[in-house]
Amino acid sequence: MGSLGVFVDRQVMGSSEQLTALIRLRDQAEAMGHAVYFIFPVEVRKVARVDGLFIRSRTDPLHISYVAAKLAEFHGIPVIDDPVSIQVCSDKVNMYLHLMNGQVRVPETRFLGKRDITRGGAEEVFSTLGTPVILKEPSTSFSLRVEKVNSVEEFLKVAKRFIKLSDWIVAQQYLSSSYDWRIGVLDGKLLYAAQYIIPSETFKIQDTVNGHLVYCAVRSVPAPEVPRPVIETGLAAARAIGRGLYGVDIKECDGTPYVIEVNDNPSLEGGEDQSYPDLYRRIVAALVGEGPG
Amino acid sequence: MGGNPWFLFPCGRRWCLMNKGEREDPFTTGSIHLRHIGHATYVISEDYSFKTETYYRIVSLEVKGKATVPSSRETLEAYVVPVCLSRAEGAGIPVLPWVISDRQVPLPAILYGVHYFADPSEYSVVRDAETAGRVVRFITNGGKYPFCYQPIGEETGILPVTAIFGKTASAPDGVGLLCAEIYRVFHLPLVNCIFAQTGDRFALSSLTPVRYSSLAREERAILSQVMEEECHG
């Protein structure tokens, strides 16, 4: 019997969907004969006492979740998400550099510094990436600080806001689609596949429209129904980052898959596992083994 | 990324990459100095924080398979206080005990933010409840994030020491050796080591960025000398 630590915070525990997913994970681990302990930020040192650590809290190299991941690494404890995955995936610049270096197809991408945030710089970006352009602040998560700009004026307004938070920002070709594929990958293998159906009011999988949060609908799709190139692209993108748990977002354009981003700490609470009943078992097994259960 | 501010110049038997204007005043605010030594690129900068120009230069080199000193991993380990102290402690460097809290803090203590908006160069020494409450509200963004505190004694003082490739200009006995050890672990060419001093004992509290403008004449001399030595290999 092993002990699985699940690092959470009050935001996660305050969400009924996430809490339900955590309970299912706990039930699965216990059914496999493992004990499960929820570890909160103020108890982060308890990470050293478990046999495997699953982080279910917003990840960022400057957040307490990174401390948890590093403590696990220092103690030789298997951890999802591992510190390198957090470092790479929580930073869009680093993530796209890894993807491009790994020959993974992404939308046309430029990295912009302070010197590029000028009228001339904006015109150059539009002339190479087309209109509209997507601007991303590197630490974006849940589609925050991802904006579509249609003019030089909009570009300058958004880019100036983002460049205050990061010395480099991302400008990207806009690809339109009514849904994104989400390919879940664990240790280099397909874990699940789903379609994230983008709300008609926005181009993002989550957004605030007229003061109201709108979310994408999630449709779990059995592997045989997923186009092979989409799965292969998802696996290639994950490989370019590491061996952890990733949710790879892919848009198909004229039948060609493009990786929009690779998420560490991918959401599991939206019904992604509906066609993949062994999803939680595989995660638990990766961290603490199959157990006696 | 705009115009290229770098050029090659002859340096001993090698070529070094230098920033334009470096010959007049090599250490201008924000300047980044790259030195290629052996198989590694040494990156000398004031600030190695996450998402800075320096950080992205390092990441860009790493992704191309080039070894850098420091690595991006080391910069994060150095500037995230609980990670820094865990790493340093594991290497045998004396460190202050640290605790993550969301509200309570015993006094006196040194406080650090641990979140996306936390500035690695900011720390607060709190000795009374009113100040502690105000600082905690600030560094937790009104209770939204946890924070890190380090309990200290009433007699404990703070000693910031600038280390340049692990060398110091005027550190007390023993501290120089600790700075050399800190460089061996984190490889930050330029760093402020914040020590807690209690009597003749020193314990590391954090590592923070250094402004070139804050360097004393002796420290600038060390930096120039070390860079020259490194260049001549």
Side-chain angles (χ1 to χ4, degrees):
Chain A
M1 175 174 141
S3 60
L4 175 67
V6 184
F7 188 80
V8 293
D9 59 26
R10 57 188 169 192
Q11 279 83 16
V12 169
M13 297 303 257
S15 151
S16 59
E17 292 86 359
Q18 297 204 58
L19 192 55
T20 302
L22 288 172
I23 289 167
R24 292 175 65 188
L25 172 85
R26 183 200 61 190
D27 290 350
Q28 176 63 59
E30 287 177 350
M32 293 163 72
H34 302 300
V36 176
Y37 302 96
F38 290 109
I39 299 173
F40 289 86
V42 295
E43 313 171 301
V44 69
R45 283 175 179 277
K46 288 184 180 174
V47 162
R49 299 188 208 160
V50 296
D51 298 317
L53 182 68
F54 190 36
I55 294 176
R56 289 278 90 190
S57 138
R58 190 190 158 187
T59 51
D60 184 282
L62 304 182
H63 270 236
I64 190 69
S65 52
Y66 184 71
V67 177
K70 288 298 289 188
L71 291 180
E73 180 190 74
F74 290 155
H75 288 92
I77 296 164
V79 56
I80 295 174
D81 305 295
D82 63 273
V84 173
S85 295
I86 293 175
Q87 183 186 348
V88 176
C89 295
S90 301
D91 173 2
K92 297 269 183 291
V93 170
N94 201 338
M95 182 191 73
Y96 289 123
L97 282 170
H98 274 78
L99 293 175
M100 292 189 285
N101 192 55
Q103 311 291 315
V104 177
R105 192 181 288 108
V106 297
E108 278 292 311
T109 300
R110 297 283 181 276
F111 302 118
L112 309 178
K114 287 190 176 79
R115 288 193 203 95
D116 304 306
I117 314 302
T118 61
R119 185 162 282 276
E123 286 165 353
E124 195 180 322
V125 167
F126 281 114
S127 73
T128 53
L129 302 183
T131 306
V133 160
I134 302 296
L135 292 179
K136 298 179 178 181
E137 193 278 312
S139 291
T140 169
S141 63
F142 303 112
S143 302
L144 283 170
R145 298 193 294 276
V146 173
E147 298 202 17
K148 186 165 65 176
V149 294
N150 289 284
S151 65
V152 168
E153 285 69 29
E154 277 182 16
F155 174 99
L156 291 173
K157 190 176 163 192
V158 173
K160 281 177 182 170
R161 185 153 49 84
F162 288 175
I163 208 78
K164 286 179 187 164
L165 299 169
S166 171
D167 283 355
W168 288 19
I169 63 172
V170 177
Q172 209 164 49
Q173 171 194 14
Y174 172 68
L175 298 179
S176 172
S177 69
S178 57
Y179 64 86
D180 281 3
W181 285 104
R182 168 63 64 95
I183 301 298
V185 182
L186 175 63
D187 193 21
K189 299 181 189 76
L190 178 72
L191 183 67
Y192 63 88
Q195 282 179 345
Y196 283 7
I197 298 153
I198 297 166
S200 57
E201 305 93 327
T202 179
F203 69 100
K204 303 191 272 192
I205 58 174
Q206 178 181 315
D207 203 358
T208 304
V209 178
N210 297 327
H212 296 281
L213 266 178
V214 290
Y215 301 96
C216 64
V218 179
R219 189 171 82 85
S220 182
V221 181
E225 295 176 24
V226 183
R228 197 65 220 165
V230 169
I231 291 180
E232 282 165 4
T233 300
L235 294 176
R239 228 175 9 249
I241 309 294
R243 304 289 300 183
L245 170 63
Y246 310 106
V248 184
D249 289 343
I250 295 171
K251 280 188 193 298
E252 273 186 295
C253 245
D254 300 326
T256 305
Y258 292 83
V259 173
I260 300 303
E261 62 183 51
V262 181
N263 300 277
D264 65 322
N265 212 260
S267 59
L268 301 170
E269 66 276 10
E272 287 84 351
D273 61 324
Q274 213 159 43
S275 305
Y276 300 87
D278 65 344
L279 184 150
Y280 289 112
R281 184 194 60 74
R282 287 178 59 190
I283 292 171
V284 173
L287 289 167
V288 282
E290 291 287 354
Chain B
M1 297 302 301
N4 185 357
W6 304 95
F7 70 101
L8 284 166
F9 84 108
C11 184
R13 287 167 295 167
R14 303 161 183 261
W15 288 85
C16 285
L17 195 60
M18 260 201 161
N19 197 291
K20 282 178 184 166
E22 195 169 17
R23 280 184 236 202
E24 294 81 33
D25 180 9
F27 308 116
T28 52
T29 301
S31 62
I32 301 167
H33 307 262
L34 305 184
R35 294 290 183 271
H36 303 290
I37 302 160
H39 295 297
T41 299
Y42 284 66
V43 182
I44 297 108
S45 171
E46 296 173 297
D47 188 356
Y48 298 89
S49 296
F50 183 51
K51 297 197 298 176
T52 56
E53 181 71 29
T54 307
Y55 179 82
Y56 282 135
R57 293 276 181 91
I58 292 170
V59 168
S60 302
L61 289 165
E62 287 177 334
V63 170
K64 289 177 194 157
K66 307 235 165 76
T68 65
V69 178
S71 66
S72 60
R73 176 184 57 82
E74 287 166 333
T75 65
L76 293 177
E77 287 182 351
Y79 285 168
V80 180
V81 174
V83 176
C84 169
L85 297 189
S86 300
R87 178 94 174 82
E89 188 176 26
I93 295 166
V95 301
L96 281 178
W98 59 270
V99 179
I100 298 295
S101 177
D102 54 6
R103 194 174 303 165
Q104 303 298 328
V105 50
L107 299 172
I110 307 174
L111 308 188
Y112 292 92
V114 186
H115 57 80
Y116 179 68
F117 298 103
D119 181 340
S121 62
E122 280 185 9
Y123 62 92
S124 303
V125 181
V126 293
R127 296 183 186 277
D128 64 86
E130 191 185 336
T131 308
R134 185 165 39 77
V135 171
V136 167
R137 273 195 298 281
F138 179 72
I139 64 175
T140 63
N141 196 9
K144 194 171 173 190
Y145 303 107
F147 66 99
C148 173
Y149 72 78
Q150 300 166 346
I152 54 174
E154 293 288 350
E155 308 303 317
T156 301
I158 304 298
L159 179 71
V161 177
T162 299
I164 303 142
F165 288 91
K167 298 180 182 180
T168 59
S170 57
D173 286 350
V175 171
L177 288 174
L178 290 179
C179 289
E181 193 59 17
I182 287 166
Y183 178 67
R184 195 187 63 75
V185 174
F186 296 99
H187 297 114
L188 263 58
L190 196 54
V191 66
N192 254 332
C193 306
I194 309 298
F195 289 103
Q197 179 178 8
T198 308
D200 58 358
R201 287 181 296 116
F202 299 91
L204 183 65
S205 171
S206 69
L207 298 176
T208 71
V210 178
R211 296 284 157 220
Y212 293 131
S213 58
S214 72
L215 292 177
R217 182 194 298 265
E218 298 82 355
E219 290 167 338
R220 276 181 172 256
I222 292 175
L223 185 54
S224 299
Q225 185 193 343
V226 172
M227 283 170 67
E228 184 72 8
E229 283 171 5
E230 300 285 12
C231 257
H232 287 284

